[in-house]
């Protein structure tokens, strides 16, 4: 953890008090504020460097949500989240158009094992033969290499920013206050509570500069908050906060690129998300098609650039090989966003070791949207009941990284 140059905690520094302080107003932080306020907590303040979220992972999310995971805790987080999405589908543009995951011929046994495992957890998926796939997705007409597909009818697509806005609106109506352009720097114990020291950016330009290239230099007005409980939900920026970790973790911000394109003479609107055997994923998006892909061995770091050759080198070839409808494509635009990788690509949630009133919920490795409300339910239990009650999320604690046998390696991560 860096030592902050120019940092000097002074007794005369502006201080503000709160019962509950949420650091980070992305999809996880906003969901936590929503759930806590819904359950009666009134003095909640949410702090974020940029509430508009131009560089947040929520803003740059692909919008897909699914139940299909190997680890039961990941299924549970998604199950509770998607149940809420169904209730508010009109507000967030949730379309349960399904998820189709394709498997190669040599992956036939893997698919069968996964289907049985998924059904054992009470998640409804069905196996599709290549002919079934062609019937349901007629544009997927190059299926010679496929053994099958797995289809989840209750999965689908939503507007991540509409979901975040929903959480914030509901929370604000119950008295939650959101504060813009605050950068948390140091968390410490203070008089039985928690003290958060940081700085306030003078404008959005400075906030954006920090988000793209976090620095340990303090340049602007310093401010302190004190609270009974603090919840750290800063996603890829969680490691920029000094809270004297007993066991620092190896967490990495990794760029993920997404492209938007058009297919000549083909409208994908009636269909949902497709995950190809190449691990290129794609779905309809506002009259276009959105697609993404994980570049193996992508260098860690805060990199929001978009490679001009990404679409032609990584997306077009596998799409061409999968469908005659995807042979003639026109690139529209693209962008880069942050995933925060844990050693096992599963999120971190729980009390920080050595703290009674510092809770963390971050680093969901690109699936914060589809697991946000489940995470919020677990955090709210820790705050209000001091333990998990609705479901047991203890396995998500950072303490699991002490023993590789307790890791939650998620092979269905894309």
């Amino acid at each position: 953890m860096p030592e902050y140059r120019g940092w000097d905690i002074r007794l005369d520094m502006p201080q503000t008090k709160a019962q509950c302080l949420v650091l980070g107003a992305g999809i996880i932080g906003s969901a936590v504020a929503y759930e806590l306020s819904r359950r009666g907590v009134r003095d909640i303040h949410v702090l974020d460097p940029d509430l508009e979220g131009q560089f947040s992972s929520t803003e740059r999310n692909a919008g897909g949500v699914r139940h299909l995971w190997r680890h039961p805790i990941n299924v549970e987080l998604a199950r509770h989240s998607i149940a809420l999405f169904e209730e508010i589908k009109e507000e967030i543009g949730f379309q349960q158009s399904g998820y189709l995951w394709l498997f190669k011929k040599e992956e036939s046994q893997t698919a069968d094992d996964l289907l049985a495992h998924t059904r054992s957890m009470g998640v409804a998926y069905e196996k599709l033969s290549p002919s079934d796939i062609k019937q349901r997705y007629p544009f997927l007409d190059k299926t010679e290499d496929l053994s099958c597909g797995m289809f989840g009818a209750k999965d689908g697509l939503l507007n991540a920013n509409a979901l975040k806005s929903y959480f914030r609106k509901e929370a604000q109506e119950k008295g939650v206050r959101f504060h813009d352009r605050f950068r948390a720097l140091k968390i410490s114990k203070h008089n039985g509570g928690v003290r958060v020291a940081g700085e306030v950016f003078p404008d959005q330009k400075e906030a954006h500069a920090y988000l793209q290239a976090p620095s340990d230099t303090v340049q602007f007005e310093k401010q302190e908050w004190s609270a009974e409980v603090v919840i750290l939900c800063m996603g890829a920026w969680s490691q920029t906060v000094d809270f004297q970790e007993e066991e620092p973790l190896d967490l990495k911000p990794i760029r993920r690129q997404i492209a938007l394109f058009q297919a000549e003479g083909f409208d994908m609107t009636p269909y949902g998300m497709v995950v190809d055997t190449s691990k290129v994923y794609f779905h309809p998006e506002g009259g276009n098609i959105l697609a993404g892909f994980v570049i193996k061995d992508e260098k860690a770091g805060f990199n929001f650039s978009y490679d001009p050759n990404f679409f032609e080198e990584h997306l077009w070839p596998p799409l061409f090989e999968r469908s005659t409808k995807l042979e003639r494509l026109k690139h529209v635009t693209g962008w880069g966003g942050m995933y925060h990788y844990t050693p096992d690509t599963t999120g971190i949630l729980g009390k920080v070791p050595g703290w009674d009133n510092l809770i963390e919920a971050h680093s969901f490795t690109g699936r914060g949207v589809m697991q946000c409300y489940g995470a919020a339910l677990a955090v709210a239990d820790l705050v209000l009941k001091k333990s998990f009650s609705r479901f047991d999320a203890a396995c998500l604690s950072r303490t699991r990284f002490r023993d590789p046998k307790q890791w939650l390696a998620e092979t269905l991560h894309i």
Side-chain angles (χ1 to χ4, degrees), residues 8 26 29 50 60 84 95 122 142 159 188 196 203 206 307 313 362-363 365 375 398 406 410:
D8 179 25
D50 179 29
R60 292 158 184 262
L84 174 67
Q95 303 172 38
K142 299 180 181 180
N159 184 321
S188 57
V196 177
D203 52 44
E206 295 294 349
D307 293 341
E313 291 183 0
H362 58 82
S363 307
T365 321
R398 66 167 54 215
Q406 297 181 20
E410 186 53 77

Side-chain angles (χ1 to χ4, degrees), residues 57-256:
S57 298
T58 306
E59 176 76 21
R60 292 158 184 262
N61 184 273
V65 296
R66 57 183 165 97
H67 295 81
L68 184 62
W69 297 101
R70 283 200 178 275
H71 279 283
I73 189 59
N74 286 325
V75 173
E76 198 68 13
L77 291 173
R79 190 200 313 272
H80 286 284
S81 300
I82 295 173
L84 174 67
F85 303 160
E86 291 176 331
E87 293 179 12
I88 60 173
K89 61 183 179 181
E90 298 300 328
E91 291 94 329
I92 63 174
F94 183 36
Q95 303 172 38
Q96 284 183 293
S97 45
Y99 239 83
L100 176 66
W101 196 292
L102 302 177
F103 294 87
K104 298 178 182 178
K105 287 182 177 178
E106 57 268 31
E107 297 173 323
S108 178
Q109 188 59 53
T110 299
D112 287 341
D113 293 345
L114 179 59
L115 183 62
H117 176 67
T118 300
R119 288 175 173 172
S120 72
M121 292 186 286
V123 179
Y125 274 79
E126 60 179 308
K127 183 178 180 179
L128 303 182
S129 67
S131 59
D132 293 332
I133 294 170
K134 283 186 178 181
Q135 183 175 6
R136 196 168 299 188
Y137 292 80
F139 69 95
L140 297 177
D141 53 3
K142 299 180 181 180
T143 60
E144 295 78 10
D145 64 324
L146 298 182
S147 64
C148 64
M150 281 182 59
F151 179 77
K154 294 180 72 65
D155 300 339
L157 307 168
L158 55 73
N159 184 321
N161 287 307
L163 176 60
K164 182 178 68 176
S165 296
Y166 172 84
F167 285 141
R168 290 185 183 180
K169 177 178 177 293
E170 293 293 314
Q172 286 174 318
E173 289 180 355
K174 291 180 174 61
V176 176
R177 295 184 61 186
F178 288 79
H179 303 265
D180 200 8
R181 297 203 294 271
F182 179 88
R183 168 196 180 191
L185 287 163
K186 186 179 181 66
I187 304 175
S188 57
K189 298 176 182 179
H190 181 66
N191 293 337
V194 183
R195 179 168 58 188
V196 177
E199 65 175 338
V200 179
F201 295 113
D203 52 44
Q204 195 177 57
K205 178 181 178 182
E206 295 294 349
H208 286 178
Y210 157 71
L211 290 170
Q212 294 177 81
S215 167
D216 58 1
T217 302
V218 181
Q219 306 179 65
F220 307 110
E221 175 190 352
K222 300 172 185 177
Q223 186 180 84
E224 275 192 7
W225 286 76
S226 61
E228 296 177 19
V229 62
V230 170
I231 304 156
L232 179 63
C233 305
M234 291 174 58
W237 292 269
S238 296
Q239 286 294 90
T240 66
V241 184
D242 179 7
F243 52 91
Q244 300 176 330
E245 294 174 274
E246 294 179 357
E247 304 169 56
L249 300 180
D250 182 24
L251 305 179
K252 296 182 175 68
I254 303 288
R255 177 183 64 167
R256 287 299 185 90

Side-chain angles (χ1 to χ4, degrees), residues 247-274:
E247 304 169 56
L249 300 180
D250 182 24
L251 305 179
K252 296 182 175 68
I254 303 288
R255 177 183 64 167
R256 287 299 185 90
Q257 297 182 82
I258 291 176
L260 208 62
F261 58 91
Q262 297 174 344
E264 186 177 271
F266 172 57
D267 179 11
M268 195 182 173
T269 302
Y271 306 97
M273 175 78 84
V274 177

